[in-house]
């Protein structure tokens, strides 16, 4: 009986052919005994390892160059510091930097109310006071000046309405805080360039997001003074774009 060349003459003494696997000699699946199965398995593992090693060779070369300080470390954008990645990508592909850090506002975690605005606007911020008790309360509101976190008084005109009211038992009252956002102290422009709510002239704009804070205390109310934060965004932030084509 003619046997294929991958069988040895002593195959009868090697055990039954109970293993089904891929044979690298015949390039097909077949039944094998244990030694034959292990031999083919080791061959497949060796081929897999050698193929993986060749695929990983470029990465290994780059890592070796990085450790040795070779110029290849500075060869392309993949090796730029993390804070340059986006800028490099948009600068090379689109000709501009799409990520605008000036539109990100750093607001203190102690702020109870956050309002976003733009230069020249008058923002109306409604605040509801709830009375959880069964007795009437006489409440008087007092608003402090708006100032930046560094202590700069921005000089905004503000108004609270109503300033005094009676809070009914288990009732609520809505008060409106009006803020006129004047950016004249938040920019470095010359005084003759500063304008707000002047007919025919645009209000001065800020270069990046600026945040001002004020405290609103409610005498007669058990609530702690509220910290009001107004974040002033540049005009370019979240602006609507349209094409002339």
């Amino acid at each position: 009986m003619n046997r294929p060349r991958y069988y040895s003459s002593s195959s009868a003494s090697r055990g039954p052919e109970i293993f089904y696997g891929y044979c690298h000699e015949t390039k097909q699946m077949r039944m094998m005994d244990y030694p034959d199965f292990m031999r083919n398995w080791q061959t497949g593992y060796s081929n897999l390892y050698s193929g993986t090693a060749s695929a990983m060779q470029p990465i290994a070369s780059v890592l070796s160059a990085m450790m040795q300080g070779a110029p290849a470390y500075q060869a392309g954008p993949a090796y730029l510091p993390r804070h340059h990645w986006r800028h490099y990508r948009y600068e090379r592909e689109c000709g501009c930097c799409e990520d605008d850090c000036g539109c990100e506002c750093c607001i203190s975690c102690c702020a109870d109310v956050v309002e976003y605005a733009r230069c020249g606007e008058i923002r109306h911020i409604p605040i509801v006071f709830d009375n959880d008790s069964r007795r009437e309360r006489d409440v008087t509101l007092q608003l402090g000046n708006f100032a930046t976190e560094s202590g700069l008084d921005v000089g905004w005109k503000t108004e609270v309405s109503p300033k005094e009211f009676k809070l009914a038992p288990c009732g609520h009252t809505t008060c409106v805080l009006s803020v006129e956002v004047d950016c004249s102290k938040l920019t470095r422009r010359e005084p003759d360039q500063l304008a707000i709510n002047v007919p025919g002239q645009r209000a001065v704009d800020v270069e990046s997001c600026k945040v001002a804070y004020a405290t609103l205390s409610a005498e007669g109310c058990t609530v702690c003074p509220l910290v009001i934060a107004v974040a002033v965004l540049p005009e370019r932030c979240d602006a609507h774009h349209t094409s002339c084509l």
Side-chain angles (χ1 to χ4, degrees), residues 3-217:
R3 294 180 178 269
R5 61 186 180 89
Y6 46 81
Y7 283 94
S8 65
S9 58
S10 60
S11 60
S13 61
R14 295 170 52 175
E17 298 178 351
I18 60 175
F19 296 95
Y20 186 73
Y22 181 79
C23 178
H24 291 273
E25 296 179 359
T26 62
K27 309 298 182 183
Q28 61 184 359
M29 303 294 291
R30 66 175 178 85
M31 297 299 297
M32 312 177 194
D33 53 27
Y34 181 76
D36 201 13
F37 176 80
M38 291 302 300
R39 180 175 58 82
N40 279 278
W41 184 86
Q42 291 176 356
T43 302
Y45 183 81
S46 300
N47 294 342
L48 177 63
Y49 178 78
S50 60
T52 304
S54 60
M56 293 294 292
Q57 185 60 38
I59 300 177
S61 301
V62 171
L63 293 176
S64 177
M66 290 172 58
M67 297 300 295
Q68 299 176 6
Y73 179 71
Q74 300 293 338
Y79 312 115
L80 288 174
R82 185 176 182 85
H83 60 278
H84 288 318
W85 283 357
R86 289 187 176 181
H87 174 73
Y88 186 92
R89 182 173 70 251
Y90 290 119
E91 190 69 29
R92 293 299 295 269
E93 295 179 1
C94 306
C96 61
C97 181
E98 184 175 313
D99 231 13
D100 193 346
C101 297
C103 296
E104 297 181 2
C105 302
C106 183
I107 302 175
S108 175
C109 60
C110 66
D112 301 295
V113 180
V114 178
E115 185 76 11
Y116 290 90
R118 300 184 190 274
C119 296
E121 290 185 341
I122 299 179
R123 304 298 296 180
H124 300 287
I125 308 173
I127 302 175
V128 179
F129 290 89
D130 295 316
N131 187 4
D132 296 330
S133 67
R134 294 184 178 273
R135 67 181 184 88
E136 187 178 69
R137 294 180 180 273
D138 294 323
V139 181
T140 302
L141 301 181
Q142 185 176 1
L143 179 67
N145 296 335
F146 275 92
T148 62
E149 196 168 7
S150 62
L152 174 64
D153 191 336
V154 294
W156 291 349
K157 297 179 181 179
T158 59
E159 183 181 357
V160 181
S161 178
K163 289 184 178 180
E164 299 179 359
F165 54 91
K166 290 185 178 293
L167 199 54
C170 300
H172 64 273
T173 299
T174 301
C175 300
V176 177
L177 168 61
S178 300
V179 182
E180 186 175 344
V181 182
D182 182 359
C183 297
S184 58
K185 294 186 178 181
L186 298 175
T187 184
R188 298 179 180 179
R189 296 188 182 184
E190 298 298 329
D192 57 351
Q193 295 178 314
L194 303 179
I196 181 170
N197 296 337
V198 177
Q201 296 186 19
R202 292 173 55 190
V204 65
D205 192 19
V206 291
E207 297 178 357
S208 59
C209 180
K210 305 294 183 182
V211 185
Y213 304 88
T215 56
L216 178 64
S217 59

Side-chain angles (χ1 to χ4, degrees), residues 218-230:
E219 183 181 351
C221 194
T222 57
V223 67
C224 296
L226 299 176
V227 178
I228 313 296
V230 176

